[in-house]
Amino acid sequence: MTKKQSVTTTFPEGFLWGGATAANQIEGAFAEGGKGLSIQDVMPRGIQTPPTEGPTEDNLKLEAIDFYHRYEQDIALFAEMGFKVFRFSIAWSRIFPHGDEETPNEEGLAFYDRVLDELERHGIEPLVTISHYETPLHLARTYNGWTSRELIGFYENYCRALFERYGDRVKYWLTFNEINSVLHEPFLSGGIPTPKEDLSQQDLYQAIHHELVASARATRLAREIAPGAQVGCMIIALPVYPLTPDPTDVVAAMHTAHDSYAFGDIHCRGEYPGYLLRHFRENGIELEITDQDREDLAHTVDFVSFSYYMSICETGDPTKKVKGAGNIMGGIPNPTLQASEWGWQIDPQGLRVVMNDYWERWQKPLFIVENGLGAVDELVEVDGVKTVVDDYRIAYLNDHLVQAREAIADGVDLLGYTTWGCIDLVSASTAQMSKRYGFIYVDRNDDRTGTLERYRKKSFEWYRQVIATNGAALHQGQQ
Ligand code: BG6
């Protein structure tokens, strides 16, 4: 797709401002409405420890922030901030409790009807992630998750149920959250219980292939059933800088960047890139790729969405290879950057870099569907009202939005921006409540105490103003 290059110093008209969440991190009600178990119901410590046999009461996600029962109140708060779009995921195991049934669970479908009704009432566009780190547990344990080709059919069946039911009311769909994370977290991302160290490269790439084919089939299906729909892929955007100007570091950075580019390349070009085929050849990986798979992969996405939290460095010098903290992947820390309380390095300019990079590489509209700061917040009283004075969050979001605006001025086509965890939710990697991202504070603690009451933070009013002025209220940050 080619698009006339724009020269603009502001956000385009109709820009989709909003916030993002995932079912398993907000809904709770893990066993209500006919829902089956998902992998998240056995991950009480996120990715820090191996899964448990069954749900344990220390798992905060079982109740999460109770969005399942409080969605009306929460959506009203999003509307008060002026959201144009709300990103949420559908819990696969609410619709197909085991994942391999033939007919969907009506109670599960009806819940999302109600959520969509509420969004519609407030004029908020839904942005739906079909699979966000919540594979039905049965598919994980019975089929070893996406290592099995059978999951393509189950996923297609699930997509058909969603497109038939919601296809006329949901325009934007994302097939798999952060699909490139499966390389690093096979259980969280691919529902694959085999421990990573026992999983062969052959099995891992075959699983990835199955997901890529499933994603392309979903795109094809959406075009048949819901012609107005726009389908996007979703990847972790992680700019990789060479640690030094040494060309060996530059080449090493290129290789690491390829690990993520591959997912966008396949989604946007419909075939495997040469560098990945070389990796297969040199590592004895022989994938089963059928003619039908090749045909399916040709159904490329309409747009590219991504999460952006940080950048990393890479080196070709094995003695300097250390792994810092970070969003699923981590990487070598950048000596010039500061980090969040959880060690994620903060790099607003990296967002501009990655946006230019993706736009030039794929020439597809982009959508920033996650960006935000996980921080410890303190609930205080200001003029008799309970709130959080989260100037640090405002600064983080402001600086990233300024860079997104720079990228738009560079000519990048950006559809919208949804901050991660617009309401406090349970963390994906650590399963903590204390790692808060929201504009809305939820009274819920790591030890499961709290009333679940909602409170507006200082950033709530700040974001309201940013949206109301279509970005004009931003303070100029770094260039
Ligand atoms: C992304 C995920 O990796 O980062 C979200 O798509 C997640 O589900 C977010 O919550 C922030 O990560 P964390 O580990 O701080 O919750």
Side-chain angles (χ1 to χ4, degrees), residues 20-25 39-40 87-92 129-135 158 174-178 188-189 234 370 420 428:
T21 59
N24 70 87
Q25 294 173 263
I39 55 165
Q40 291 291 343
R87 174 181 175 223
F88 63 99
S89 72
I90 292 182
W92 188 345
T129 316
I130 297 171
S131 179
H132 190 130
Y133 295 163
E134 49 214 356
T135 308
Y158 167 47
L174 308 180
T175 52
F176 289 96
N177 183 61
E178 297 188 331
L188 173 82
S189 184
M234 193 315 199
E370 283 189 35
W420 176 251

Side-chain angles (χ1 to χ4, degrees), residues 10-11 17 405 462-474:
T10 185
F11 290 88
W17 297 96
R405 187 171 62 188
W462 169 83
Y463 198 44
R464 196 193 63 72
Q465 282 180 28
V466 170
I467 297 175
T469 59
N470 202 29
L474 294 171

Side-chain angles (χ1 to χ4, degrees), residues 117-355:
D117 289 346
E118 210 51 31
L119 291 172
E120 212 166 285
R121 226 163 59 76
H122 290 286
I124 300 175
E125 184 97 49
L127 165 60
V128 173
T129 316
I130 297 171
S131 179
H132 190 130
Y133 295 163
E134 49 214 356
T135 308
L137 188 61
H138 173 77
L139 294 186
R141 296 219 164 132
T142 311
Y143 300 88
N144 207 17
W146 281 95
T147 61
S148 163
R149 181 170 276 276
E150 286 192 80
L151 261 77
I152 300 176
F154 302 144
Y155 179 85
E156 194 176 3
N157 209 23
Y158 167 47
C159 289
R160 182 173 291 105
L162 301 189
F163 298 154
E164 282 176 352
R165 181 75 163 230
Y166 314 121
D168 57 345
R169 6 183 21 194
V170 176
K171 181 172 172 193
Y172 297 103
W173 297 89
L174 308 180
T175 52
F176 289 96
N177 183 61
E178 297 188 331
I179 188 165
N180 47 335
S181 60
V182 66
L183 273 174
H184 307 266
E185 290 298 333
F187 185 63
L188 173 82
S189 184
I192 304 169
T194 304
K196 196 172 152 188
E197 48 292 359
D198 301 336
L199 196 62
S200 67
Q201 285 267 310
Q202 168 78 34
D203 286 348
L204 186 54
Y205 275 103
Q206 189 66 50
I208 289 170
H209 176 71
H210 296 151
E211 285 200 52
L212 290 165
V213 170
S215 179
R217 281 212 203 170
T219 308
R220 192 188 60 188
L221 201 62
R223 287 182 187 138
E224 279 166 30
I225 304 178
Q230 298 271 303
V231 182
C233 57
M234 193 315 199
I235 49 188
I236 299 182
L238 195 73
V240 189
Y241 305 145
L243 187 60
T244 72
D246 182 335
T248 310
D249 284 0
V250 177
V251 172
M254 178 188 81
H255 286 310
T256 299
H258 278 162
D259 285 348
S260 293
Y261 278 147
F263 293 83
D265 286 349
I266 297 165
H267 272 104
C268 294
R269 297 179 184 149
E271 56 186 20
Y272 278 80
Y275 56 83
L276 189 53
L277 295 175
R278 175 178 182 175
H279 178 76
F280 293 164
R281 260 194 327 271
E282 293 181 350
N283 291 279
I285 299 167
E286 283 182 32
L287 297 191
E288 182 199 60
I289 303 180
T290 65
D291 290 345
Q292 182 63 50
D293 291 350
R294 285 184 218 284
E295 215 179 284
D296 288 335
L297 287 176
H299 294 268
T300 56
V301 287
D302 298 302
F303 66 97
V304 172
S305 79
F306 61 91
S307 59
Y308 177 77
Y309 294 94
M310 56 183 292
S311 57
I312 55 168
C313 291
E314 188 52 280
T315 177
D317 179 350
T319 65
K320 293 197 194 135
K321 280 212 188 259
V322 288
K323 191 172 174 212
N327 185 21
I328 311 280
M329 305 186 187
I332 300 176
N334 184 327
T336 70
L337 298 175
Q338 304 291 312
S340 77
E341 285 159 288
W342 272 264
W344 296 23
Q345 289 201 307
I346 300 170
D347 179 14
Q349 290 176 100
L351 178 58
R352 178 179 179 185
V353 170
V354 90
M355 287 173 69

Side-chain angles (χ1 to χ4, degrees), residues 103-123:
T103 44
N105 166 34
E106 176 54 34
E107 240 185 303
L109 286 169
F111 168 64
Y112 296 104
D113 277 337
R114 296 197 293 278
V115 170
L116 290 172
D117 289 346
E118 210 51 31
L119 291 172
E120 212 166 285
R121 226 163 59 76
H122 290 286

